[in-house]
Amino acid sequence: ANNSGSNKHLTEFLDEMRSDQIREHLRKFTRLPHLAGTEQNLKYAEQIKKEWQEFGLDSVEMVPYDVLLSYPNKTQPNYISIVDHLGNEVFNTSLAEPVPEGYEGVSNIVPPYSAFSAKGQPEGDLVYVNYGRTEDFFQLEREMKINVTGKIVIVRYGKIFRGNKVKNAMLAGAKGIIMFSDPADYWATGVQVDPYPDGWNLPGGGAQRGNVLNLNGAGDPLTPGYPAKEYTYRFDLVEGVGLPKIPVHPIGFHDAIRLLEKVRMNIHTNNQVTRIYNVIGRIRGSLEPDRYVILGGHRDAWVFGGIDPMSGAAVVHETVRSAGRLLSKGWRPRRTIIFASWDAEEFGLLGSTEWAEDNAKLLQERAVAYINADSAIEGMYTLRVDCTPSLHTLVYDITKQVTSPEEGEEGVSLYESWHKRDNWTNDRNAPRISKLGSGSDFEAYFIRLGIASGRARYTKNKKTEKYSSYPVYHSVYETFEIVDKFYDASFKRLRAVAQVRGALIFHLACSELLPLDVMEYADSLRKYAQSIAQLAQRHQDEMETYMVSFDSLFSAGENFTVAAKGFHERLQTVNRLRVMNDQLMYLERAFIDPLGLPGRPFYRHVIFAPSSHNKYAGESFPGIYDALFDIENSADPEKSWDEVKRQISIAAFTVHAAAMTLTPPA
Amino acid sequence: ANNSGSNKHLTEFLDEMRSDQIREHLRKFTRLPHLAGTEQNLKYAEQIKKEWQEFGLDSVEMVPYDVLLSYPNKTQPNYISIVDHLGNEVFNTSLAEPVPEGYEGVSNIVPPYSAFSAKGQPEGDLVYVNYGRTEDFFQLEREMKINVTGKIVIVRYGKIFRGNKVKNAMLAGAKGIIMFSDPADYWATGVQVDPYPDGWNLPGGGAQRGNVLNLNGAGDPLTPGYPAKEYTYRFDLVEGVGLPKIPVHPIGFHDAIRLLEKVRMNIHTNNQVTRIYNVIGRIRGSLEPDRYVILGGHRDAWVFGGIDPMSGAAVVHETVRSAGRLLSKGWRPRRTIIFASWDAEEFGLLGSTEWAEDNAKLLQERAVAYINADSAIEGMYTLRVDCTPSLHTLVYDITKQVTSPEEGEEGVSLYESWHKRDNWTNDRNAPRISKLGSGSDFEAYFIRLGIASGRARYTKNKKTEKYSSYPVYHSVYETFEIVDKFYDASFKRLRAVAQVRGALIFHLACSELLPLDVMEYADSLRKYAQSIAQLAQRHQDEMETYMVSFDSLFSAGENFTVAAKGFHERLQTVNRLRVMNDQLMYLERAFIDPLGLPGRPFYRHVIFAPSSHNKYAGESFPGIYDALFDIENSADPEKSWDEVKRQISIAAFTVHAAAMTLTPPA
């Protein structure tokens, strides 16, 4: 038998992870700006490669791709002007954020900009559209009868992914869009929090960088579906996936309050094909080298990346260090572990998606699970986990073994601490776990390839802290110091996150029987089916008129439950470990439809997809959901209900097909 | 160790197959017409199920689907008229073929018709377009300056799949198409052959039935991508895949010579959703129950199916009987064997494609190989094999163990007999093996799912016998007697085919190491790359202008060869049988691109596809081939060459990705 997955080794692995080490990793990799495609980000890649080798990984390689990135023009800055009736610029927004103390001499701080914005200098009336959500535009057009065609819109950041705001503005006919950080959304309230550097709130001169693509999982806009290698065919820019057709620009709230009803945008940002670098490290599995467990997170940052992503990268670094120590003592995991430092996540998950495209065949046949390692902290309250249902049980088991990092909770498990702070729902007495949406590098692995995936980080109190993400998100104020002083002075929270992420990959790589729970998937499927059917009940009359029924989906869910139960029972008397492990591994794959979702060919998971209205949110049964959403705006209800029926049929089939994979193979 | 794959068992398995038994099976299943969707075809399905159970399979089930079929209107026959200037019908083509002796009392013989023809009674000038190939229409339009818009075209059967003729006629603007069997294409010459019943040539009153769809692998036209179950959403007929928009009708040559320049077509054929039945039998694998080897062939016939398909179905039946005998003696294959009797192949490979759609996830993870079993004989000369390159070596090995069925060749191996009659090419001294095209049930397994596939049958002498398929193909004259009297009176040829097909599934299901040869794939890939690059050389100047290079494809082929060699060498010291067998199994899958070929989403194999100009023929690097073909008719050469470059890039990437699957997994 194989004792590489023993509790003794797990304990050693987790105990070896040290707060001071995580602090040191974070300090080391946040001294200089390291935007994707820059010299400094390559230097950090080389340093990570070297250190992973020293830590003892079996192999570490740099994997380059040539992808479309976007940078401000160095000689022609981007800004917004108020123009008078003669066309003179009487006010201009700031060209950069005030640099934080201690970083005054640093060069290569990219000013706030919207990556992949169209170039242009549109001039026109300014219309405020709240958060720029679908419903905000509907309200403007339907209730307030305001047409934004030919106008420039200004929206608040928050609630939804900024790319969705830009898409909505384009659909509404706007010729430019300005996004600003409203203190209502980027200031913590309740307790008194000062702006950085005295606290962790966003200064009035700070602004949020970010890409404004609508890629829907395509990766590099010029090479959708294929890795961006040297020989790869590239589409022309005009055919590129998800590129906005209008100028876009982000500003801080000091500038926002100055803008009047008529403005000119001055945007000179350039798209350019640029080389990026993933770092890929491996530990070869002893018994199942062709089964892969992946821990991946990005390295590129808008500026210093104090929180996003280096709080996560430091955790990965410490995980590699600890695994290396175990290796040096003779331990080896049953399965292969792959560690990834992704590049260009900020430009549309490019590094991780290109590598997934490059390795799709291997991953499809061999990948057991993908654990994401972006920012490890976004608040100071408790744990946050988003994952596939089959990982629920493992997450609970693991958090019972890890200690709470909170002061005064010595001897309390992370599970208990988390449960106390964020109980799932009224109908389940357990800590809340959410669906995966998108917005980080798990996307291609989960939504395109159907690999069981999860993520874990420390978060804020969602009930009382109403700001979006965290105040200084994507600003120059994301420094090492903001973590060291405010978010996690003891680095115990980051250590707890490291232990959760580490224990996940340890169990997935070392357990004889894969720790994936098919009964949890069955429960979730039935719950999602109920919930989407309930949504449809809003239109009960029409459902009768057009004879729409969810019975086939309910029946598929019941059938899946029967298959899952049978499978679960056979596990007790398992004598064909490989066969059953393959069934467990391939269950998630069974939800993949190669035809993809309507209009989103790279979103192929029938059960989960990022919401069409907000990339960050996960939607269950997204095909049905989107078809139902269209009902309310449809000129041809019969046709729209037909699409609902088609999507129900695809969902029912997919759940049946997945159930088949759990029955005895012959 | 496992001796279930021993030579002793193989010999027993092949020796048990008996000519008289195959004759009896053929006799039994050809007494009555058994068109897909009819009562009689269900009865044969039930009989096959019962007999497979009696033979000793572990399980046999009927698997129904509800697919779109097409039948003539029973009260309004289809025919073609010559009309005079008053519109009177002065000549009508025959409504049925003269029924062969011995079958006079048989009801339910469907008259010759083109399944899925549009309804209609177009009237107009008749234009002859030779075989209706792309080049025939080009010649007519370009050289002869004849426009067929609004005309009815008449074409000879032969050279290409009839659905391609119909598509070409539609693209040219014809409002109807008549297809006839020309003696030049449906009469054997050289030796004196009489028309049936005195010989095996086509009588002048005989005509070829057949479907005229352009499905490109979609299966049931109303449920592309999903199995046609009761709850499955169905498109409206107007949205159905591949349905012709114009009336189509087949006639014999006695009628063809009567047609003058102006005719009226009278077509009343109906499309209707109809239940069909596959029969699926299984032998559970002893050691690897979750690895599947499939032997499948269709059961439905246009009329009696004496050759097509029952000569093949009789061979499958005998294979099942022989396997059952071995099972009763305690033998059991290492892997699971699945036997399939498909329905509705004649209507567009519907039964096999729906089952592939229904089981896609299982097949993708578990299927080792698919061996097709359509007609086992189409000539009296020698063996014909079409298969994936990785099966070449196994086919050669097997045919060396089987005895030639030819008189005067006692003691001569089938390999030797075959080699003597059909040497591959000048550059390889071995019997010819061809690429798989389409036109039979392997399509979904090979071209959509990427499962290693092959087919074998007895064939004519291609050098001297120039007729298409075989003279009575799809006519009422395909009887038991035509096989019993002319094609294989001793039934030794069918027995030899049974032994080849049987030995293929035996080796694939029983060998410890999968008998798939990656070096043969490497050789073929390099050969195909050379050949497609040579085709492009016709346009050498343009290739320079538009900077088109095949270097990336050559380089990918070399890289694949290196990986294949390394893999092949590691096989000699194999200690991880499962890992390497999975690499072998998944190699074919690595050539699948979920995005599909341009405009053909269900043709997903990047290396092989049915030709866009003739479904029966296999094309290598079909994406590049089609892009090159378009060059000659392009209004925008830059754009067309861009597409060639894109396709080269996809092909190179796919070959690289496949090579990666052969490297050590970690």
Side-chain angles (χ1 to χ4, degrees):
Chain A
N2 152 37
N3 74 342
S4 64
S6 71
N7 256 325
K8 176 176 150 291
H9 285 111
L10 175 61
T11 305
E12 249 182 280
F13 181 53
L14 300 186
D15 286 354
E16 177 66 32
M17 296 181 186
R18 284 163 44 190
S19 296
D20 61 335
Q21 284 285 336
I22 296 173
R23 183 178 189 277
E24 203 173 292
H25 303 323
L26 184 66
R27 174 67 285 192
K28 188 166 51 182
F29 293 118
T30 52
R31 288 196 189 277
L32 292 169
H34 51 288
L35 191 60
T38 63
E39 186 69 21
Q40 184 57 43
N41 202 35
L42 170 57
K43 279 188 187 156
Y44 280 157
E46 283 162 347
Q47 187 175 352
I48 286 171
K49 179 183 172 189
K50 181 168 150 281
E51 295 188 11
W52 285 5
Q53 282 168 332
E54 289 163 3
F55 291 155
L57 294 191
D58 294 319
S59 74
V60 190
E61 51 171 346
M62 299 271 273
V63 185
Y65 298 101
D66 300 314
V67 299
L68 192 71
L69 299 185
S70 158
Y71 302 114
N73 187 320
K74 283 194 176 152
T75 56
Q76 267 190 306
N78 299 328
Y79 62 95
I80 316 291
S81 314
I82 300 177
V83 289
D84 67 14
H85 65 284
L86 298 172
N88 298 317
E89 301 186 339
V90 297
F91 169 79
N92 292 339
T93 58
S94 43
L95 302 184
E97 298 161 298
V99 174
E101 216 184 299
Y103 295 89
E104 295 85 351
V106 173
S107 54
N108 294 324
I109 296 176
V110 78
Y113 74 115
S114 296
F116 302 103
S117 166
K119 287 171 194 272
Q121 296 179 280
E123 206 175 305
D125 291 344
L126 193 64
V127 179
Y128 172 70
V129 202
N130 200 15
Y131 291 104
R133 293 169 297 190
T134 311
E135 60 264 39
D136 294 326
F137 278 96
F138 281 174
Q139 195 182 13
L140 201 75
E141 290 164 358
R142 293 179 189 174
E143 294 172 30
M144 303 165 69
K145 310 290 180 198
I146 295 173
N147 186 336
V148 303
T149 307
K151 305 283 193 335
I152 293 172
V153 299
I154 182 164
V155 302
R156 303 199 256 177
Y157 262 128
K159 306 288 184 197
I160 65 170
F161 171 61
R162 70 186 84 75
N164 291 94
K165 297 172 195 265
V166 173
K167 183 184 165 198
N168 292 339
M170 283 168 57
L171 286 174
K175 63 180 177 183
I177 172 169
I178 300 163
M179 298 178 293
F180 72 100
S181 303
D182 188 326
D185 301 290
Y186 288 87
W187 269 14
T189 52
V191 291
Q192 173 61 40
V193 180
D194 284 327
Y196 190 82
D198 299 317
W200 44 275
N201 262 342
L202 182 68
Q208 184 187 126
R209 294 156 186 78
N211 84 68
V212 290
L213 294 167
N214 280 280
L215 284 177
N216 291 323
D220 174 34
L222 303 187
T223 63
Y226 306 99
K229 305 221 189 194
E230 288 186 71
Y231 66 80
T232 306
Y233 177 89
R234 283 173 175 73
F235 286 112
D236 288 339
L237 266 180
V238 291
E239 304 163 299
V241 176
L243 299 166
K245 309 271 186 224
I246 57 175
V248 193
H249 194 63
I251 59 177
F253 57 85
H254 281 175
D255 280 338
I257 54 175
R258 301 289 305 275
L259 291 187
L260 302 172
E261 78 261 29
K262 193 168 169 69
V263 298
R264 178 193 293 152
M265 298 180 74
N266 302 281
I267 306 297
H268 308 286
T269 295
N270 292 310
N271 292 316
Q272 67 186 77
V273 174
T274 310
R275 179 148 293 196
I276 61 168
Y277 300 88
N278 296 327
V279 186
I280 305 290
R282 285 165 210 265
I283 299 175
R284 199 180 56 255
S286 57
L287 295 172
E288 302 184 57
D290 64 338
R291 289 294 176 263
Y292 303 157
V293 175
I294 305 163
L295 178 66
H298 72 106
R299 180 186 71 255
D300 67 300
W302 283 113
V303 190
F304 304 107
I307 293 176
D308 179 5
M310 303 320 282
S311 64
V315 154
V316 172
H317 215 59
E318 182 60 1
T319 310
V320 174
R321 195 187 63 78
S322 178
R325 294 276 296 189
L326 244 68
L327 274 177
S328 72
K329 297 180 196 166
W331 168 86
R332 186 164 282 284
R334 182 182 181 89
R335 305 183 182 87
T336 294
I337 301 177
I338 298 177
F339 297 97
S341 168
W342 306 124
D343 204 346
E345 189 266 3
E346 297 295 2
F347 290 83
L349 319 178
L350 303 190
S352 59
T353 304
E354 296 308 303
W355 196 78
E357 290 177 335
D358 210 356
N359 293 275
K361 295 299 165 190
L362 303 185
L363 295 168
Q364 188 167 293
E365 317 306 358
R366 302 175 188 169
V368 167
Y370 176 92
I371 303 301
N372 199 55
D374 204 337
S375 310
I377 192 161
E378 61 185 10
M380 307 158 207
Y381 185 64
T382 193
L383 191 66
R384 169 177 166 191
V385 175
D386 310 350
C387 68
T388 186
S390 57
L391 283 171
H392 288 168
T393 307
L394 181 62
V395 167
Y396 290 143
D397 289 349
I398 281 170
T399 50
K400 286 172 188 167
Q401 311 296 317
V402 170
T403 308
S404 165
E406 295 304 313
E407 259 183 69
E409 291 190 347
E410 289 74 19
V412 173
S413 75
L414 180 60
Y415 179 90
E416 212 177 314
S417 168
W418 176 28
H419 191 184
K420 189 172 69 187
R421 288 173 172 77
D422 192 17
N423 191 40
W424 195 328
T425 56
N426 294 330
D427 57 39
R428 183 169 188 173
N429 188 22
R432 178 193 313 279
I433 296 182
S434 300
K435 295 189 288 251
L436 285 163
S438 180
S440 193
D441 292 304
F442 58 84
E443 190 193 77
Y445 300 86
F446 187 55
I447 306 286
R448 192 197 292 199
L449 295 175
I451 297 164
S453 297
R455 62 193 312 201
R457 66 196 123 155
Y458 227 73
T459 195
K460 64 197 170 193
N461 183 344
K462 279 228 187 69
K463 291 193 197 97
T464 61
E465 302 180 78
K466 294 299 189 185
Y467 53 89
S468 280
S469 52
Y470 48 93
V472 298
Y473 173 67
H474 283 195
S475 74
V476 75
Y477 309 109
E478 280 203 39
T479 57
F480 167 76
E481 288 77 13
I482 207 168
V483 178
D484 194 43
K485 285 195 190 144
F486 304 111
Y487 277 91
D488 194 19
S490 68
F491 281 79
K492 282 187 183 168
R493 290 174 180 141
L494 290 190
R495 180 172 187 261
V497 172
Q499 290 176 326
V500 171
R501 292 176 179 176
L504 280 168
I505 63 156
F506 186 95
H507 281 285
L508 287 160
C510 299
S511 303
E512 286 203 357
L513 183 68
L514 286 178
L516 298 170
D517 187 336
V518 300
M519 290 305 296
E520 282 285 326
Y521 226 126
D523 290 347
S524 297
L525 286 173
R526 288 201 318 277
K527 198 175 71 184
Y528 302 151
Q530 284 298 343
S531 144
I532 193 81
Q534 207 162 341
L535 194 70
Q537 283 304 321
R538 285 194 207 167
H539 314 273
Q540 206 168 347
D541 290 355
E542 285 180 74
M543 282 181 67
E544 279 167 30
T545 307
Y546 297 112
M547 293 184 293
V548 182
S549 163
F550 281 82
D551 288 354
S552 64
L553 187 58
F554 292 142
S555 153
E558 293 308 321
N559 178 48
F560 186 95
T561 305
V562 170
K565 269 190 190 142
F567 183 84
H568 200 72
E569 278 158 23
R570 282 193 302 283
L571 281 184
Q572 314 311 314
T573 57
V574 60
N575 57 357
R576 287 191 196 281
L577 192 66
R578 183 193 66 75
V579 174
M580 300 203 93
N581 274 343
D582 276 3
Q583 288 182 279
L584 284 164
M585 171 172 72
Y586 288 135
L587 173 61
E588 195 79 48
R589 230 79 96 232
F591 295 114
I592 293 296
D593 184 338
L595 297 177
L597 293 172
R600 303 193 286 175
F602 300 110
Y603 285 168
R604 294 179 183 156
H605 200 302
V606 172
I607 313 303
F608 297 109
S611 158
S612 296
H613 305 280
N614 175 18
K615 189 175 87 167
Y616 294 143
E619 194 57 74
S620 46
F621 291 124
I624 307 176
Y625 182 90
D626 284 356
L628 278 176
F629 188 89
D630 286 343
I631 293 292
E632 313 197 2
N633 317 299
S634 171
D636 182 347
E638 179 162 6
K639 202 175 155 200
S640 300
W641 281 106
D642 226 38
E643 178 62 10
V644 173
K645 290 196 248 182
R646 191 172 82 89
Q647 292 298 330
I648 292 173
S649 147
I650 291 171
F653 161 64
T654 304
V655 172
H656 276 299
M660 270 204 279
T661 70
L662 294 180
T663 60
Chain B
N2 152 35
N3 73 344
S4 64
S6 71
N7 256 324
K8 175 178 150 290
H9 285 110
L10 175 61
T11 306
E12 249 183 279
F13 181 53
L14 300 186
D15 286 354
E16 178 65 34
M17 296 181 187
R18 283 162 44 190
S19 296
D20 60 336
Q21 284 285 338
I22 296 173
R23 183 177 188 278
E24 205 175 289
H25 303 324
L26 184 65
R27 174 67 284 192
K28 190 165 51 183
F29 292 117
T30 53
R31 287 195 189 278
L32 292 169
H34 51 288
L35 190 61
T38 63
E39 187 67 22
Q40 184 57 44
N41 201 36
L42 171 55
K43 280 189 184 158
Y44 280 157
E46 283 163 346
Q47 188 175 351
I48 285 170
K49 179 183 174 191
K50 181 168 150 280
E51 295 188 11
W52 284 6
Q53 283 169 331
E54 289 164 2
F55 291 156
L57 294 192
D58 293 319
S59 74
V60 190
E61 53 171 344
M62 300 271 274
V63 185
Y65 298 101
D66 300 314
V67 299
L68 192 71
L69 300 185
S70 157
Y71 302 114
N73 187 320
K74 281 193 177 153
T75 57
Q76 266 190 308
N78 299 329
Y79 61 96
I80 315 292
S81 313
I82 300 176
V83 287
D84 67 15
H85 64 286
L86 298 173
N88 298 317
E89 301 186 338
V90 298
F91 169 79
N92 292 339
T93 59
S94 42
L95 303 185
E97 297 161 299
V99 174
E101 218 182 298
Y103 294 89
E104 295 85 351
V106 174
S107 54
N108 294 325
I109 296 175
V110 78
Y113 75 114
S114 297
F116 302 102
S117 167
K119 287 171 194 274
Q121 295 181 280
E123 207 175 303
D125 292 343
L126 193 64
V127 180
Y128 172 73
V129 202
N130 200 15
Y131 291 104
R133 295 168 295 191
T134 311
E135 60 265 40
D136 295 326
F137 278 96
F138 281 175
Q139 196 182 14
L140 200 75
E141 290 164 357
R142 293 179 188 174
E143 293 172 30
M144 302 165 69
K145 310 289 180 197
I146 296 173
N147 186 335
V148 302
T149 307
K151 304 284 191 338
I152 293 172
V153 299
I154 182 164
V155 303
R156 303 198 257 178
Y157 262 129
K159 306 288 184 198
I160 65 170
F161 171 60
R162 70 187 84 75
N164 292 94
K165 298 172 195 265
V166 173
K167 183 185 165 199
N168 291 341
M170 282 168 59
L171 286 174
K175 62 179 177 184
I177 172 170
I178 301 163
M179 298 179 292
F180 72 100
S181 304
D182 188 325
D185 301 289
Y186 288 87
W187 270 13
T189 52
V191 290
Q192 172 60 39
V193 179
D194 284 326
Y196 189 81
D198 300 316
W200 43 275
N201 262 342
L202 182 68
Q208 184 189 124
R209 293 157 188 76
N211 83 68
V212 290
L213 295 167
N214 280 280
L215 285 178
N216 292 324
D220 174 34
L222 303 186
T223 63
Y226 306 99
K229 304 221 189 195
E230 286 186 73
Y231 66 80
T232 306
Y233 177 88
R234 283 174 175 72
F235 285 112
D236 287 339
L237 267 180
V238 291
E239 303 163 300
V241 176
L243 299 166
K245 308 269 186 226
I246 57 174
V248 193
H249 194 63
I251 58 177
F253 56 84
H254 280 177
D255 280 340
I257 54 176
R258 300 290 304 278
L259 292 188
L260 303 172
E261 77 262 31
K262 192 168 171 69
V263 298
R264 178 192 295 151
M265 298 180 75
N266 302 280
I267 306 297
H268 308 286
T269 295
N270 292 309
N271 292 317
Q272 66 186 79
V273 174
T274 310
R275 179 148 292 195
I276 61 168
Y277 300 88
N278 296 327
V279 186
I280 305 290
R282 284 166 211 265
I283 298 175
R284 198 182 56 256
S286 57
L287 295 173
E288 302 184 57
D290 64 338
R291 289 294 175 263
Y292 303 156
V293 175
I294 304 163
L295 178 66
H298 72 107
R299 181 185 72 254
D300 66 300
W302 284 112
V303 190
F304 304 107
I307 292 174
D308 179 4
M310 302 320 282
S311 64
V315 154
V316 172
H317 215 60
E318 183 61 1
T319 309
V320 175
R321 196 187 63 77
S322 178
R325 295 275 294 188
L326 244 69
L327 275 177
S328 72
K329 295 180 198 167
W331 167 87
R332 186 164 284 283
R334 181 181 181 89
R335 304 183 182 87
T336 294
I337 301 177
I338 298 177
F339 299 96
S341 168
W342 306 124
D343 204 345
E345 188 266 3
E346 297 295 3
F347 289 83
L349 319 178
L350 303 190
S352 59
T353 304
E354 296 308 304
W355 197 78
E357 290 177 337
D358 210 356
N359 293 275
K361 295 300 166 190
L362 304 185
L363 295 168
Q364 188 168 292
E365 316 308 357
R366 302 176 187 168
V368 166
Y370 175 93
I371 303 300
N372 199 55
D374 203 339
S375 310
I377 192 162
E378 61 184 11
M380 307 159 208
Y381 185 63
T382 192
L383 192 67
R384 171 179 164 188
V385 175
D386 309 350
C387 67
T388 186
S390 57
L391 283 171
H392 288 167
T393 307
L394 181 61
V395 167
Y396 290 144
D397 288 350
I398 281 170
T399 51
K400 286 173 187 165
Q401 311 297 316
V402 169
T403 308
S404 165
E406 294 305 313
E407 258 183 70
E409 291 191 347
E410 291 73 19
V412 174
S413 74
L414 179 59
Y415 179 92
E416 212 178 314
S417 168
W418 175 29
H419 192 183
K420 189 172 71 189
R421 286 173 174 79
D422 192 17
N423 192 41
W424 193 330
T425 57
N426 295 330
D427 56 38
R428 182 167 189 175
N429 189 23
R432 177 193 314 277
I433 296 182
S434 300
K435 296 189 286 255
L436 286 163
S438 181
S440 194
D441 292 304
F442 58 85
E443 191 194 74
Y445 300 86
F446 187 54
I447 307 287
R448 191 195 295 197
L449 295 176
I451 297 165
S453 297
R455 63 196 309 202
R457 64 197 123 155
Y458 228 74
T459 195
K460 64 198 169 192
N461 182 345
K462 279 226 188 70
K463 291 193 196 97
T464 61
E465 303 179 79
K466 294 298 188 185
Y467 53 89
S468 281
S469 53
Y470 49 92
V472 298
Y473 173 68
H474 284 195
S475 75
V476 74
Y477 309 109
E478 281 204 38
T479 57
F480 168 76
E481 288 77 13
I482 208 168
V483 177
D484 193 42
K485 284 194 189 146
F486 303 111
Y487 277 89
D488 194 20
S490 68
F491 281 79
K492 283 186 181 166
R493 290 173 180 142
L494 290 191
R495 180 172 186 264
V497 172
Q499 290 175 327
V500 171
R501 293 176 179 176
L504 280 168
I505 62 156
F506 186 95
H507 282 284
L508 287 161
C510 300
S511 302
E512 287 204 356
L513 183 69
L514 285 178
L516 298 171
D517 188 336
V518 300
M519 291 304 296
E520 282 285 325
Y521 226 127
D523 291 346
S524 297
L525 286 173
R526 290 200 316 277
K527 199 174 72 185
Y528 302 151
Q530 284 297 343
S531 145
I532 194 81
Q534 207 162 342
L535 193 70
Q537 283 305 321
R538 284 195 207 165
H539 313 273
Q540 205 166 350
D541 290 355
E542 286 180 72
M543 283 180 65
E544 280 167 29
T545 307
Y546 298 111
M547 293 184 295
V548 181
S549 162
F550 281 83
D551 288 354
S552 64
L553 187 59
F554 292 142
S555 154
E558 293 308 321
N559 178 48
F560 186 95
T561 304
V562 171
K565 268 189 190 142
F567 183 85
H568 200 72
E569 278 157 23
R570 282 192 304 284
L571 280 184
Q572 314 312 313
T573 57
V574 61
N575 57 357
R576 289 192 196 277
L577 192 67
R578 183 194 66 75
V579 174
M580 300 204 92
N581 274 343
D582 276 3
Q583 288 182 280
L584 284 163
M585 172 172 73
Y586 289 134
L587 172 61
E588 195 79 48
R589 229 80 95 233
F591 295 115
I592 293 296
D593 185 337
L595 298 177
L597 294 171
R600 303 193 286 177
F602 300 110
Y603 285 169
R604 295 178 182 156
H605 201 303
V606 172
I607 313 303
F608 297 109
S611 158
S612 295
H613 306 279
N614 175 19
K615 189 175 87 168
Y616 293 143
E619 194 58 75
S620 46
F621 290 124
I624 307 176
Y625 182 90
D626 284 356
L628 279 175
F629 188 90
D630 285 343
I631 293 291
E632 313 198 2
N633 316 300
S634 171
D636 182 347
E638 180 161 6
K639 200 173 157 204
S640 300
W641 281 107
D642 227 38
E643 178 62 11
V644 173
K645 289 196 250 182
R646 192 173 81 90
Q647 291 299 329
I648 292 172
S649 147
I650 291 172
F653 161 64
T654 304
V655 172
H656 276 299
M660 269 203 279
T661 70
L662 295 179
T663 60

